[in-house]
Amino acid sequence: MRTHLQILLPELEQLSLDSDVAFSVVHKRDQVTRQGHATLRQLAQQFPTLPFLLMVHPLDTVHTTITLPPLKKAQHAMAVQSRLQQMLLAPLSQHLFCYEAKADHQFDVVWTERAPLQNLLQHLNLLSVHRIMLQPASLSPTLPRAPHCYALHKTLDFSTQLQHSTPWEKRLTRPLLGALAALFILVISLYSYTQQQGNELQHLQSVAQQAVSDRWPHLPVIVAPLKQAQQALNNQALPTTAASSVSLQSMLQGSAEWLRSLAPSLQSLTWKEQTLSLLLHPDSNTQSLEGVLENTRSQLQAQGLQWHYQPQQNPLLLQLQPITP
C-alpha cells in the first residue's frame, strides 16, 4: 500500500471525532515518517489526501477460531456467517466481521459492533475523508521497525461491509440530481415547444378565419374555417334559382284543382328537371284548354310557376315550370 495514515482507535464507548488517538504516517515500504497524537478532526484537516487505516482497539473485538468442513473458497464467507450467527446473541447485521483461513480447515474470525464504526465513517466522510480501511488490531501483525504500527492485512478488513468509499447518500445524490436536472430541462423544452406550436396554430386559425370572412362575408361566425369554407363552396355549386326549392309534391298540391279539369284530355304526365310535362290526346279541344290556362295564370304566378306550350302543336304538350328570375 502506498503512503497512508495509520490510526489506533480508542475504545468505541469513548470514540468521537474529538477523541485523542495515536497516529503514524507509514510510507509504502513500511517506513514510519511521522508519529504523534491528535484528534480525528485534526488529522482529517492535516492529511486530507492520505488514505486512513483505522485499527480497531483489541478490547472492542472478539477473536475466535472455528473449524469448517472442506468447502470451496467461494463458500467460505457463507459458511463463516452461518457459524457466527449461531454464536452471536444479536443479529449478524449488527456486527462487522472478518476472517482468515488457516491450515486444517480452520479460520481465525474477528467481529465487532457495526453502529459506532459506521457513524465514525459517516462523520469522516463529511470531513472529506473517503478512502478508509478498518482492521482489527488483535490479528494485524506489527511492523518490525515500528512496534506501535501495524502491517496492512488485506484479508482482515471491516470497511468493505460499510461501503466506506462514498456514503450511499452521496452515491445517489449526484445521479439523482443529474436525472432531475435532465427532467427539468426536458419539461421546459416540451413546454416551450408546446407554447410555440400553440401560438403558430392560433396564428394559422386567425389567418384562415380572416380569409374565409373576406371571401364569404355573409357567414356570421367563423368557428371551423376549413369546414365552413367547404360548405360555402358546396352552396355555390348548387343552383340559386327558385327551381331548386320546387318539388313534385308541392307542384301537384298547388295545381290539383285545374289538373282535374284536364284529366279527360290527359294522355301522359312526366316529371323531369323541375318540370311537370302533360301530353294531351290529339284533337283535344284547345280553345277550352287555353281558357283554363288563362284562368290559372295568376294563381300559378303567386306560387312561382308558369305554363310553357306552343298553341299550334298537336298533340299539345304543356310544361309547368318554376318562374326563372
Side-chain angles (χ1 to χ4, degrees):
M1 184 178 182
R2 59 182 179 178
T3 303
H4 62 279
L5 182 66
Q6 188 174 124
I7 301 171
L8 179 60
L9 297 177
E11 296 183 31
L12 296 180
E13 293 182 355
Q14 307 171 0
L15 184 60
S16 69
L17 291 180
D18 297 318
S19 301
D20 188 69
V21 296
F23 74 92
S24 302
V25 178
V26 183
H27 195 56
K28 59 183 178 180
R29 295 183 179 179
D30 296 336
Q31 296 179 355
V32 179
T33 59
R34 182 176 174 181
Q35 286 183 321
H37 288 78
T39 65
L40 290 173
R41 192 183 306 274
Q42 293 172 342
L43 293 176
Q45 297 173 354
Q46 295 178 15
F47 305 98
T49 60
L50 291 182
F52 279 34
L53 176 59
L54 305 180
M55 308 303 299
V56 182
H57 198 281
L59 295 179
D60 291 316
T61 59
V62 178
H63 171 217
T64 188
T65 300
I66 62 175
T67 302
L68 297 176
L71 297 171
K72 295 182 180 179
K73 186 175 181 180
Q75 299 174 331
H76 287 172
M78 185 64 66
V80 171
Q81 292 183 43
S82 178
R83 183 65 61 85
L84 282 180
Q85 186 60 70
Q86 300 174 7
M87 300 169 62
L88 295 174
L89 298 178
L92 183 61
S93 60
Q94 298 180 7
H95 297 79
L96 302 174
F97 71 94
C98 58
Y99 64 92
E100 182 180 24
K102 297 295 184 179
D104 299 330
H105 310 297
Q106 292 187 340
F107 293 82
D108 283 336
V109 183
V110 181
W111 67 86
T112 186
E113 295 184 24
R114 172 188 291 267
L117 295 177
Q118 191 166 19
N119 293 334
L120 174 63
L121 262 65
Q122 291 177 354
H123 293 153
L124 290 176
N125 287 327
L126 294 177
L127 296 177
S128 301
V129 179
H130 301 301
R131 294 179 296 172
I132 302 174
M133 293 186 64
L134 278 169
Q135 292 192 4
S138 57
L139 290 186
S140 299
T142 58
L143 297 178
R145 293 183 297 276
H148 300 292
C149 296
Y150 297 86
L152 178 64
H153 204 308
K154 294 184 178 180
T155 59
L156 303 177
D157 186 9
F158 291 132
S159 60
T160 55
Q161 301 172 52
L162 295 176
Q163 301 179 353
H164 68 280
S165 58
T166 305
W168 68 270
E169 295 90 347
K170 292 189 176 181
R171 293 199 308 273
L172 292 179
T173 298
R174 182 172 297 179
L176 182 60
L177 290 178
L180 290 177
L183 179 61
F184 177 76
I185 294 175
L186 178 61
V187 171
I188 293 298
S189 301
L190 290 177
Y191 177 78
S192 300
Y193 179 76
T194 303
Q195 193 73 16
Q196 179 182 0
Q197 294 298 314
N199 294 336
E200 292 182 2
L201 178 60
Q202 291 181 357
H203 176 70
L204 291 176
Q205 287 179 340
S206 299
V207 172
Q209 290 177 359
Q210 187 62 40
V212 174
S213 298
D214 294 342
R215 180 64 179 83
W216 295 282
H218 63 281
L219 294 177
V221 179
I222 305 299
V223 178
L226 294 178
K227 184 176 181 180
Q228 290 177 264
Q230 184 64 40
Q231 184 64 36
L233 290 174
N234 294 338
N235 292 339
Q236 284 185 345
L238 295 175
T240 57
T241 63
S244 60
S245 60
V246 178
S247 64
L248 175 61
Q249 181 180 1
S250 61
M251 185 175 291
L252 290 176
Q253 290 176 352
S255 57
E257 295 182 2
W258 51 264
L259 283 177
R260 188 179 300 109
S261 61
L262 296 178
S265 303
L266 186 62
Q267 181 177 356
S268 63
L269 186 148
T270 59
W271 169 263
K272 183 178 181 182
E273 297 179 357
Q274 307 295 327
T275 300
L276 181 63
S277 300
L278 296 86
L279 182 63
L280 304 182
H281 288 288
D283 302 327
S284 297
N285 189 352
T286 58
Q287 293 181 355
S288 60
L289 178 60
E290 290 179 0
V292 172
L293 297 180
E294 288 297 331
N295 293 333
T296 60
R297 183 182 302 275
S298 59
Q299 180 183 358
L300 293 176
Q301 287 179 351
Q303 299 177 7
L305 302 174
Q306 64 179 357
W307 283 112
H308 176 74
Y309 63 96
Q310 297 180 2
Q312 305 300 326
Q313 186 177 358
N314 190 17
L316 184 63
L317 178 64
L318 302 177
Q319 290 181 329
L320 184 61
Q321 299 173 335
I323 298 176
T324 58

